[in-house]
Amino acid sequence: MPETKFAPWTDPNEKPLIQFRNVTKRFGTFTAIDDQSFDIYAKEFFALLGPSGCGKTTMMRMLAGFETPTEGTILLGGRDIAPIPPNKREVNMMFQSYALFPHLSVRDNIAFGLKRDKLPADRIAARVDEMLKLTRLEKFASRKPHQISGGQRQRVALARSLAKGPKLLLLDEPLGALDAKLRQDTQFELMDIQEKTGTTFVIVTHDQEEAMTVASRVAVMDDGRIVQIATPDEIYEAPNSAYVADFIGDVTLFSGTAMNRAPEAEPIQETAEAGTEAAPEEAENPETETVDTPKAVTDIGVPVEPEAPISGEPDAPEPARAEPAPAAAPAKAARGPQPNRMGLWLHDKLWAKVFGPRTDIVRQLPPPSDAERTLKSAETEPVSAETSRAPGGGITIDWAEGQPPLIALDGPEVKDGQQVQLALRPEKVGISKTKPDAVNALKGKVIDIAYLGNLSTYHVELENGMMIKAQLANTRRISRRDITWEDEVWVSWTGTAGVVLTS
Amino acid sequence: MMRRVVLILVPYLWLLALFLVPFAIVLKISLSDIELSIPPYTPQLDLSEGWEGIKAFFAALDFENFVFLTEDDLYWKAYLSSLQIAVISTVLTLLVGYPMAYAMARAPNHWRPTLLMLVILPFWTSFLIRVYSWMGILSTEGYLNQLLLSLGLISEPLLILNTNVAVYIGIIYTYLPFMILPIYSALERMDDSLLEAAEDLGCSRLTAFWLVTLPLSKNGIIAGCFLVFIPVMGEFVIPSLLGGSQTLMIGKVLFEEFFNNLDWPVASAVAVILLLILIIPIVLFQRNQQKTREAER
Amino acid sequence: MKRLTWFNTTSLTLGFAFLYLPMIILVIYSFNASQLVTVWAGFSTKWYGELLRNEAFLDAAWVTLQVAVVSSTIATVLGTMAAYVLVRAGRFWGRTLFSGMIYAPLVMPEVITGLSLLLLFIGIGLDRGVLTIILAHTTFSMCFVSVVVSSRLVSFDRSLEEAALDLGCSPFQAFRLVTLPIIAPAVISGWLLAFTLSLDDLVIASFTAGPSATTLPIKIWSSIRLGVSPEINALSTILIGIVAVGVVTASLVSKRQLMRQDADEKAAVRAEA
């Protein structure tokens, strides 16, 4: 992160402009805000983001003074603002409906707040002119609100709320009434004005794209609580919960049981090197990093042919037998039920003759357990000190019967057997017709393709019925793209592409 | 908060003092005895005597005025006849008003304000004058009879004025805007595409009207009917001017009891009973208004 | 574009003929020279002259006008307050009773209202006269005003008031500078409604007017009970004329405003594009 970046929240000496301290707001029995504490710093562009009914508007109305907290305090510049009525607060608000006074001209609307302060007429006029210039409304000063367009009304509302030079400007869904194109332009305009005036902005929105575009920090809210406060890129790249991951952008979530992998890298063998050098077959799939190879995985200790590695084809079943895997004995518990010696004896001597041989198939080879791994690595070679590009550590996530476990190389500390979720953004998922050389690769069928112009999102159904989204930039013309509906494809991603969520 | 209290209290107290308290007084006098003095009744409840007075009041409480109302068949006949006239004229007003409201709602957009103004205009004109205008038309030597005689449709002038027919005409005429306006506002809000959808789904014009338009204008119809029925029940001017001596309506009886017979307790008892009859439709009307308002939000 | 069907045209024509013919006939016959109102005997304006010389009518008209102006003004203030309470005050003790007292007088038979008010005035020893008529008229017409104003307030965007507070207004300033100018048309039409209701009222005035004060409807009533008279025709014509001119002007003004607003909005859309 560059040093010049505006980030007062990282500076312990910076005093916050607004402090919410254990604020709770109840309406009757309904709790709109549930014991929230957080800070907003001067000159920030702070976004409260959440679905409707999550409490974000209540939060804003408490700042404006139209609601008072049931419990807790809100400090503005160190002062409790609870006893100050809205008309005495140095806080102004831009309303969702703009709330322009229909009987007053644009100029009088902007001057309205200044006149309440009993300023001399010439100073009011000067300030109004300044605001008109800032919002490029000079031509419309004498018009009434119904005589101007939606975008102009939005600017009048902004000018009016900025005219008094508030310490804090609240914006309630400020762009909700504008159409998509105008909204984009206005977002940048808003950021520009915020920068020019140096006012602290708090914006309430349900539009994640808008929040991500304009805000310095985003607070994602759900059900009266702030789930995460972070910069837009952190929110997107490192969501702290499935809720945030799902709310911001598109995501595929895998739930499963986590297992820690060996803390150090596996030794890289010659074959692995060769595999890495082999370029990915799909030019469209630059994300498919080759950080791991089937061979390397094989070496972890799955005693089968190299063609069926850990991410091997599940539809090539193989009658499972306990006998070929004596090495796995200590890790039985981790692999699900296995017949014991007596059971085998009974099966071979008796049941097989009566009912025929056992037909239950293991669709998935069990993941290597810790014990196994240490055992194996001890057996093979001493641990190599070179870990720069070798995938080591991280976790595996056992997520579905008959599917290979997923590997996530970075993420929070987990205990073996802990339930976790892996959040995967579609643009981090590669798609190819042939099996790619990747840490995580799953086979599936293309069900749907959403063509968005610059991007295409492929909805791939895995063999266990789960849908996964893969997004590709459309760098080629449509006619040259070879993946289409009903195609059997591989989706793949690197060990660091997904985010492991424990809550 | 102080402001809010004042804001609520001023209209509240005004209505309490000049709307609710008077009803309590009517109730009280309806339980009193008649006396030949001014005011011509002896009050039964004397609050200045405190608790004793209240006890004495309940001891002396008599319903003799109400009993009197049941004994003299003039009163219950008047109630029944008012009810009958109110029901019939409400139905007739609906039959005249609905097609007009419907036609107005289906009229081209630029016509509607004019049509609406034409319906509202009579509403602003004096009620008395509008009733009066029919006296000249309906009398034996009136304009209607002159027209019919000159056309040769009748040979003898029709006797219309001073009959119930004239009363019905007068009620429909004066209360028509009250019926049209709520129905019109319900129909006007209706989305035209609803009818197109109904026809698209296989309705004929008539069934579309029956299954879509009519149910959607239900609240308007209910409001209109109450707006006609309730005031007509107590109507006094129309039966007095257009009705004959055989036209019995309770409003007229009350007025005469009060001004001609100076029997205040009986007049009050008549009013109390009338109010009891009307309380149910008034409550229903308010419910309907509340529902309509909530639906609009 | 909607077009009138045969059925709709017929029902509108017949309906409006029914509504307007009686009044048209009344107006025509007010210019009848004959004393016999049903026989046309040539054009004359002599009944208008008679009317202007009739002092009893003029006195009654003056009383009526005073009562109407005063009562409708008080009713407008009270009714606007009541509307504000109904729409904005939220819950308070006795709210149901309050809204009941607002809506009940709209449909209450006038004989009951009149009788109950009369008994109140006698009970508290208030002499019947102009004051009692004003009190009575204010009470029932404030309910009409509050219904008209509250229907406007319901559609009023509350954030306008909040914006005013946010920009530094006190609650009263917010009402005076923002709410009142915006709901003014509804308040004015509420006043007009209260005014005509008061001008028009016969029954309540009969109960509450004493011998000292007679209103025009009472005067008209006592003379038309005896039958149709050409003088009353002339008086009716004047009253109908005043109302017609007033209502038509008001609707033309508001129509023009609407059209101008429409044009403005179109211009704004063009300017945007």
Side-chain angles (χ1 to χ4, degrees):
Chain A
M1 201 174 283
E3 303 265 315
T4 50
K5 199 168 175 187
F6 172 73
W9 49 90
T10 55
D11 181 359
N13 297 325
E14 186 78 27
K15 269 188 136 181
L17 178 69
I18 297 154
Q19 290 164 282
F20 274 70
R21 290 205 185 143
N22 304 93
V23 173
T24 296
K25 176 70 188 177
R26 288 188 209 93
F27 296 103
T29 54
F30 171 72
T31 306
I33 302 291
D34 189 6
D35 190 22
Q36 294 300 297
S37 301
F38 64 96
D39 297 336
I40 300 172
Y41 293 86
K43 301 194 177 177
E44 250 200 280
F45 203 139
F46 190 88
L48 286 164
L49 174 66
S52 60
C54 70
K56 57 187 194 298
T57 303
T58 310
M59 203 84 105
M60 167 165 288
R61 289 173 64 83
M62 286 195 291
L63 280 172
F66 300 122
E67 310 284 354
T68 44
T70 316
E71 284 159 26
T73 48
I74 303 172
L75 305 178
L76 174 67
R79 255 174 85 209
D80 183 7
I81 53 171
I84 309 173
N87 48 337
K88 301 275 187 334
R89 286 190 189 188
E90 285 175 287
V91 174
N92 283 126
M93 180 157 168
M94 191 185 140
F95 289 79
Q96 183 175 11
S97 61
Y98 306 150
L100 299 180
F101 304 127
H103 57 299
L104 300 179
S105 67
V106 167
R107 170 175 288 278
D108 288 340
N109 261 287
I110 298 174
F112 191 90
L114 298 167
K115 283 183 185 163
R116 301 285 82 71
D117 287 348
K118 305 235 160 54
L119 293 175
D122 54 327
R123 278 191 52 203
I124 292 179
R127 178 70 179 158
V128 172
D129 285 336
E130 197 183 323
M131 295 323 295
L132 286 169
K133 200 168 161 223
L134 181 71
T135 48
R136 295 182 285 112
L137 285 165
E138 297 101 323
K139 275 194 288 180
F140 309 102
S142 54
R143 297 237 190 132
K144 291 275 178 72
H146 67 262
Q147 295 168 313
I148 56 178
S149 71
Q152 289 158 355
R153 275 178 223 176
Q154 192 266 350
R155 297 210 296 272
V156 177
L158 183 64
R160 186 181 70 179
S161 48
L162 276 172
K164 293 185 84 171
K167 277 188 183 167
L168 173 66
L169 183 72
L170 306 170
L171 304 109
D172 187 4
E173 305 266 0
L175 311 175
L178 304 181
D179 58 60
K181 184 85 179 70
L182 195 56
R183 192 153 56 211
Q184 258 182 8
D185 298 345
T186 316
Q187 280 168 5
F188 290 109
E189 205 168 29
L190 213 54
M191 291 161 73
D192 200 37
I193 288 176
Q194 195 257 347
E195 220 161 280
K196 264 188 215 161
T197 58
T199 313
T200 312
F201 278 29
V202 173
I203 183 176
V204 155
T205 179
H206 65 271
D207 181 346
Q208 40 120 343
E209 216 173 287
E210 186 172 301
M212 304 285 277
T213 309
V214 298
S216 58
R217 281 195 304 163
V218 178
V220 182
M221 291 191 66
D222 178 36
D223 209 11
R225 292 159 190 272
I226 291 178
V227 187
Q228 185 172 13
I229 299 183
T231 55
D233 51 333
E234 277 170 18
I235 290 263
Y236 189 79
E237 299 288 346
N240 67 355
S241 63
Y243 176 80
V244 175
D246 198 27
F247 192 77
I248 311 284
D250 226 349
V251 76
T252 308
L253 288 166
F254 296 90
S255 314
T257 321
M259 281 292 164
N260 282 296
R261 295 175 81 231
E264 298 292 335
E266 292 298 313
I268 292 128
Q269 301 188 346
E270 311 292 339
T271 44
E273 288 289 350
T276 319
E277 271 151 27
E281 280 139 292
E282 282 294 314
E284 300 171 358
N285 193 7
E287 293 279 341
T288 314
E289 287 173 32
T290 48
V291 284
D292 206 345
T293 66
K295 185 70 179 129
V297 176
T298 314
D299 281 343
I300 290 172
V302 185
V304 285
E305 326 96 335
E307 290 86 55
I310 186 156
S311 52
E313 296 172 54
D315 56 341
E318 189 185 343
R321 294 195 170 255
E323 298 99 303
K332 262 179 201 166
R335 301 182 177 193
Q338 298 272 333
N340 61 12
R341 201 178 293 269
M342 174 73 112
L344 277 175
W345 182 83
L346 271 174
H347 172 262
D348 291 340
K349 300 284 173 207
L350 192 63
W351 304 132
K353 286 180 181 146
V354 182
F355 303 107
R358 226 151 63 102
T359 51
D360 58 332
I361 329 154
V362 174
R363 291 182 173 277
Q364 172 208 352
L365 289 166
S369 71
D370 256 2
E372 239 172 359
R373 234 184 277 125
T374 35
L375 197 89
K376 195 70 193 172
S377 55
E379 269 172 20
T380 48
E381 258 182 82
V383 173
S384 163
E386 193 240 309
T387 52
S388 59
R389 47 177 300 285
I395 57 169
T396 61
I397 300 164
D398 198 1
W399 65 282
E401 190 92 4
Q403 291 284 347
L406 308 173
I407 295 171
L409 294 177
D410 51 7
E413 292 268 315
V414 293
K415 290 192 210 80
D416 283 356
Q418 188 178 344
Q419 283 299 313
V420 296
Q421 283 180 305
L422 183 75
L424 200 57
R425 299 284 183 201
E427 73 274 13
K428 301 237 167 33
V429 178
I431 185 166
S432 57
K433 277 186 136 174
T434 49
K435 185 168 181 303
D437 206 7
V439 172
N440 296 294
L442 300 170
K443 203 175 175 202
K445 196 161 78 176
V446 175
I447 297 296
D448 237 330
I449 304 173
Y451 178 69
L452 305 170
N454 54 343
L455 297 169
S456 287
T457 305
Y458 295 81
H459 294 241
V460 177
E461 186 179 15
L462 301 180
E463 272 150 351
N464 68 334
M466 166 130 184
M467 295 296 280
I468 180 166
K469 286 179 219 158
Q471 203 168 55
L472 292 185
N474 291 329
T475 47
R476 295 188 189 178
R477 311 285 307 207
I478 290 181
S479 54
R480 296 195 48 204
R481 264 175 247 135
D482 52 354
I483 297 175
T484 182
W485 283 271
E486 302 292 318
D487 274 359
E488 296 272 322
V489 291
W490 288 87
V491 287
S492 58
W493 63 93
T494 66
T496 51
V499 177
V500 178
L501 304 166
T502 53
S503 59
Chain B
M1 276 305 94
M2 197 53 214
R3 247 190 225 102
R4 178 170 180 263
V5 170
V6 171
L7 188 66
I8 294 173
L9 271 187
V10 172
Y12 206 140
L13 289 181
W14 182 287
L15 285 171
L16 274 182
L18 288 154
F19 187 74
L20 209 62
V21 170
F23 281 123
I25 295 173
V26 171
L27 192 64
K28 175 190 153 192
I29 291 174
S30 73
L31 300 169
S32 307
D33 292 324
I34 184 166
E35 202 166 83
L36 288 175
S37 67
I38 300 284
Y41 65 94
T42 49
Q44 298 283 355
L45 178 60
D46 192 350
L47 284 175
S48 57
E49 284 171 35
W51 180 240
E52 283 306 306
I54 293 171
K55 255 172 46 186
F57 168 74
F58 280 103
L61 198 65
D62 60 47
F63 290 92
E64 61 184 41
N65 298 313
F66 292 93
V67 173
F68 175 69
L69 292 189
T70 59
E71 282 165 355
D72 193 334
D73 63 357
L74 167 80
Y75 296 103
W76 61 264
K77 272 186 182 162
Y79 282 117
L80 279 184
S81 140
S82 298
L83 203 61
Q84 186 196 351
I85 290 174
V87 169
I88 294 176
S89 53
T90 303
V91 173
L92 291 176
T93 315
L94 177 64
L95 291 180
V96 177
Y98 198 94
M100 286 186 72
Y102 181 79
M104 281 168 63
R106 312 286 306 160
N109 282 344
H110 58 278
W111 277 38
R112 281 195 218 160
T114 316
L115 293 173
L116 195 62
M117 196 199 71
L118 283 175
V119 172
I120 295 172
L121 192 62
F123 176 79
W124 293 85
T125 2
S126 168
F127 182 79
L128 202 54
I129 289 171
R130 279 185 292 149
V131 178
Y132 165 75
S133 67
W134 281 94
M135 290 173 71
I137 297 173
L138 297 177
S139 64
T140 2
E141 64 277 13
Y143 314 123
L144 184 64
N145 275 322
Q146 285 178 25
L147 179 74
L148 293 176
L149 282 169
S150 66
L151 288 176
L153 291 172
I154 51 169
S155 51
E156 290 269 303
L158 294 172
L159 189 68
I160 307 177
L161 193 65
N162 303 331
T163 65
N164 280 359
V165 177
V167 174
Y168 286 128
I169 292 176
I171 292 175
I172 297 171
Y173 179 69
T174 46
Y175 285 90
L176 195 56
F178 291 97
M179 185 63 87
I180 293 177
L181 291 176
I183 297 177
Y184 168 75
S185 72
L187 286 174
E188 196 218 8
R189 261 200 302 278
M190 201 180 85
D191 189 351
D192 282 339
S193 58
L194 291 180
L195 286 181
E196 285 166 4
E199 283 180 39
D200 182 61
L201 295 169
C203 281
S204 70
R205 282 268 169 103
L206 208 63
T207 43
F209 171 80
W210 186 252
L211 294 174
V212 179
T213 312
L214 207 57
L216 283 175
S217 57
K218 197 185 85 192
N219 281 349
I221 295 174
I222 293 173
C225 286
F226 281 129
L227 280 176
V228 174
F229 176 83
I230 300 170
V232 167
M233 263 307 277
E235 187 50 62
F236 158 70
V237 174
I238 296 172
S240 304
L241 285 182
L242 300 179
S245 52
Q246 86 288 2
T247 308
L248 267 181
M249 281 195 81
I250 201 65
K252 197 173 136 192
V253 169
L254 192 155
F255 200 85
E256 280 161 6
E257 203 65 55
F258 191 87
F259 284 105
N260 303 349
N261 302 348
L262 288 179
D263 191 342
W264 293 16
V266 168
S268 300
V270 169
V272 168
I273 301 266
L274 177 57
L275 197 62
L276 287 179
I277 295 173
L278 288 182
I279 258 179
I280 296 166
I282 287 176
V283 169
L284 288 177
F285 169 70
Q286 280 190 33
R287 286 263 177 81
N288 185 61
Q289 291 301 94
Q290 203 103 33
K291 248 179 24 199
T292 316
R293 248 178 304 142
E294 273 157 22
E296 274 172 38
R297 268 180 212 183
Chain C
M1 191 85 237
K2 284 181 186 174
R3 281 173 46 218
L4 282 176
T5 60
W6 173 86
F7 174 80
N8 289 350
T9 316
T10 315
S11 60
L12 280 182
T13 315
L14 289 180
F16 284 118
F18 175 63
L19 277 178
Y20 282 92
L21 267 183
M23 280 191 271
I24 293 170
I25 294 171
L26 189 71
V27 170
I28 293 172
Y29 274 83
S30 74
F31 297 103
N32 188 358
S34 164
Q35 171 78 44
L36 290 169
V37 279
T38 51
V39 183
W40 183 257
F43 182 86
S44 156
T45 53
K46 72 171 178 184
W47 302 113
Y48 289 87
E50 295 269 312
L51 192 67
L52 290 178
R53 280 187 292 277
N54 189 332
E55 291 220 349
F57 269 116
L58 292 180
D59 285 347
W62 176 235
V63 170
T64 310
L65 201 64
Q66 282 174 303
V67 168
V69 168
V70 176
S71 75
S72 58
T73 306
I74 305 174
T76 304
V77 174
L78 288 173
T80 306
M81 287 172 86
Y84 213 78
V85 170
L86 273 183
V87 178
R88 289 295 165 77
R91 283 152 195 261
F92 57 91
W93 188 85
R95 191 182 193 285
T96 316
L97 177 67
F98 185 76
S99 73
M101 288 193 300
I102 293 289
Y103 285 100
L106 303 184
V107 287
M108 188 65 68
E110 289 169 321
V111 280
I112 298 183
T113 316
L115 175 68
S116 65
L117 280 167
L118 168 64
L119 296 178
L120 172 81
F121 294 143
I122 288 172
I124 59 173
L126 200 61
D127 278 341
R128 284 182 287 163
V130 174
L131 177 65
T132 50
I133 309 176
I134 288 175
L135 286 177
H137 281 182
T138 304
T139 306
F140 83 93
S141 51
M142 73 173 270
C143 301
F144 284 86
V145 174
S146 83
V147 168
V148 172
V149 174
S150 70
S151 70
R152 176 68 189 87
L153 272 179
V154 164
S155 62
F156 180 86
D157 181 3
R158 201 166 179 177
S159 58
L160 287 173
E161 273 169 21
E162 287 180 346
L165 291 179
D166 187 63
L167 294 167
C169 279
S170 68
F172 181 71
Q173 274 181 319
F175 180 80
R176 191 170 56 86
L177 295 171
V178 174
T179 315
L180 198 56
I182 295 170
I183 65 167
V187 174
I188 292 170
S189 57
W191 186 89
L192 281 173
L193 183 62
F195 184 78
T196 42
L197 284 171
S198 172
L199 278 189
D200 203 17
D201 169 65
L202 165 71
V203 177
I204 294 175
S206 302
F207 277 102
T208 52
S212 62
T214 304
T215 64
L216 199 56
I218 298 177
K219 200 80 200 147
I220 296 174
W221 170 253
S222 54
S223 75
I224 61 178
R225 286 194 83 170
L226 310 169
V228 182
S229 90
E231 233 176 338
I232 298 295
N233 280 359
L235 179 61
S236 307
T237 303
I238 293 174
L239 291 178
I240 291 172
I242 293 172
V243 169
V245 169
V247 172
V248 172
T249 319
S251 73
L252 283 183
V253 167
S254 74
K255 193 177 176 185
R256 187 190 264 176
Q257 265 173 352
L258 271 179
M259 275 164 62
R260 190 183 300 158
Q261 196 163 326
D262 214 39
D264 286 345
E265 265 156 28
K266 276 183 193 138
V269 170
R270 266 201 305 275
E272 179 75 359

